[in-house]
């Protein structure tokens, strides 16, 4: 169940990007609106990992490595090699035009929060969003009711919540089949004479094991194919080729902005 009522007791959850999430209500936010901005995704510049839902694996794989992190094996896209650095956002705040933008980013400044006491989800808005202001050109409410903009945001967040649950089920299936393995992203620099220098570990993460996948029975493979999981698995595996692209982008960024690279 979802609601836009400002019931603050029992809300829980801590999410990336949101500095001041508040339960959306006409009483607190009736005069607010959003202004169009030239760089709507500049707020992602300080993160290198962004959560992803399973149905996004294929389009995201064209831009980023898709990996699994943490005890929950949360799928994320890797946007940079260092914490606090997003190689897909320029220093001026422009998001790389050809790169896929995850739904987690596109739903901002709205988000659902858990109301543990009432066992429901509450639609919240980040009051700290730079483009949210009194008298903004696109209002959150019209005549005391959610505006078309807010209604679309509610629908988007509802769909995102469904995809989040589908993603949890996908990860649970991979765990059940014992398909995960620990992998490392490694970069081998070159010495001045062209010989290989000492390899450098860039990241350690969970990935689906191709060897374990090969041991599954034909019936299980057919089941994964029919329920769509196999396609997502292959998209993840192909995406891991993107580590080389990230390394090249990091070198390019360092050459253009040496001071930032050494920060």
């Amino acid at each position: 169940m979802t609601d836009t009522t400002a019931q603050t007791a029992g809300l829980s959850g801590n999410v990336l990007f949101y500095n001041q999430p508040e339960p959306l209500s006409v009483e607190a936010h009736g005069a607010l609106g959003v202004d169009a901005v030239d760089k709507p995704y500049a707020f992602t510049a300080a993160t290198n990992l962004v959560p992803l839902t399973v149905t996004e694996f294929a389009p995201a794989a064209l831009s980023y490595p898709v990996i699994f992190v943490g005890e929950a094996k949360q799928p994320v896209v890797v946007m940079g090699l260092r914490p606090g650095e997003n190689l897909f956002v320029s220093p001026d705040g422009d998001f790389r035009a050809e790169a896929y933008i995850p739904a987690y980013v596109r739903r901002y400044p709205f988000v659902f929060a858990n109301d543990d006491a009432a066992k429901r989800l509450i639609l919240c808005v980040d009051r700290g969003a730079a483009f949210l202001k009194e008298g903004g050109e696109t209002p959150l409410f019209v005549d005391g009711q959610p505006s078309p903009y807010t209604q679309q945001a509610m629908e988007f967040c509802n769909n995102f919540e469904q995809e989040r649950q589908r993603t949890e089920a996908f990860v649970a299936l991979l765990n059940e089949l014992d398909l995960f393995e620990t992998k490392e992203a490694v970069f081998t620099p070159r010495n001045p004479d062209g010989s290989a220098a000492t390899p450098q570990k860039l990241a350690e993460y969970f990935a689906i094991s191709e060897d374990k996948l090969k041991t599954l029975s034909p019936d299980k493979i057919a089941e994964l194919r029919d329920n769509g999981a196999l396609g997502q698995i292959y998209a993840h595996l192909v995406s891991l080729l993107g580590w080389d692209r990230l390394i090249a982008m990091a070198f390019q960024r360092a050459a253009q902005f040496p001071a930032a690279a050494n920060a």
Side-chain angles (χ1 to χ4, degrees):
M1 177 180 179
T2 59
D3 201 337
T4 58
T5 306
Q7 300 292 333
T8 58
L11 292 185
S12 66
N14 183 25
V15 286
L16 180 68
F17 302 136
Y18 296 80
N19 297 312
Q20 191 181 340
E22 299 175 354
L24 184 66
S25 73
V26 66
E27 292 81 10
H29 309 108
L32 295 181
V34 295
D35 285 341
V37 292
D38 293 333
K39 308 176 194 303
Y41 303 117
F43 64 89
T44 66
T47 185
N48 66 323
L49 301 176
V50 173
L52 195 72
T53 63
V54 65
T55 52
E56 299 179 275
F57 279 24
L62 299 176
S63 302
Y64 323 99
V66 176
I67 64 174
F68 300 83
V69 298
E71 184 178 348
K73 298 182 175 65
Q74 165 71 52
V76 299
V77 290
V78 185
M79 295 185 171
L81 300 179
R82 302 188 302 176
E85 176 188 66
N86 190 331
L87 295 169
F88 289 83
V89 180
S90 73
D92 294 331
D94 291 307
F95 203 98
R96 204 173 179 98
E98 76 280 8
Y100 176 76
I101 300 174
Y104 189 100
V105 172
R106 286 181 279 123
R107 70 175 178 172
Y108 187 81
F110 296 94
V111 65
F112 276 134
N114 292 319
D115 182 345
D116 295 331
K119 303 297 183 185
R120 63 179 176 179
L121 295 172
I122 299 291
L123 185 67
C124 296
V125 65
D126 186 3
R127 188 63 182 85
F131 48 83
L132 186 64
K133 59 186 67 175
E134 297 279 343
E137 61 185 73
T138 302
L140 300 187
F141 291 89
V142 175
D143 297 328
Q145 298 297 320
S147 67
Y149 170 78
T150 301
Q151 291 175 21
Q152 290 176 1
M154 291 171 63
E155 181 179 358
F156 190 93
C157 287
N158 268 314
N159 291 337
F160 183 88
E161 177 62 18
Q162 294 173 12
E163 293 302 325
R164 186 192 65 78
Q165 294 176 10
R166 185 174 287 113
T167 302
E168 288 184 349
F170 174 74
V171 171
L173 175 61
L174 298 181
N175 273 319
E176 178 185 336
L177 297 174
D178 189 28
L179 290 180
F180 283 113
E181 66 176 351
T182 302
K183 295 195 72 170
E184 293 182 350
V186 177
F187 167 61
T188 303
R190 292 289 173 180
N191 292 315
D193 63 1
S195 61
T198 303
Q200 301 175 11
K201 184 170 76 171
L202 301 175
E204 185 174 281
Y205 57 94
F206 292 108
I208 297 169
S209 168
E210 292 186 74
D211 290 336
K212 291 183 177 181
L213 189 63
K214 292 175 184 176
T215 67
L216 295 180
S217 69
D219 288 344
K220 181 57 66 175
I221 291 291
E223 180 183 332
L224 293 175
R225 180 200 65 208
D226 293 344
N227 65 21
L230 192 59
Q232 310 299 355
I233 289 172
Y234 284 136
H236 152 70
L237 292 173
V238 170
S239 81
L240 299 181
L241 299 173
W243 284 109
D244 288 340
R245 184 189 310 117
L246 275 182
I247 293 169
M249 291 172 65
F251 273 110
Q252 183 181 38
R253 175 74 60 94
Q256 292 175 326
F257 309 99
N262 296 323

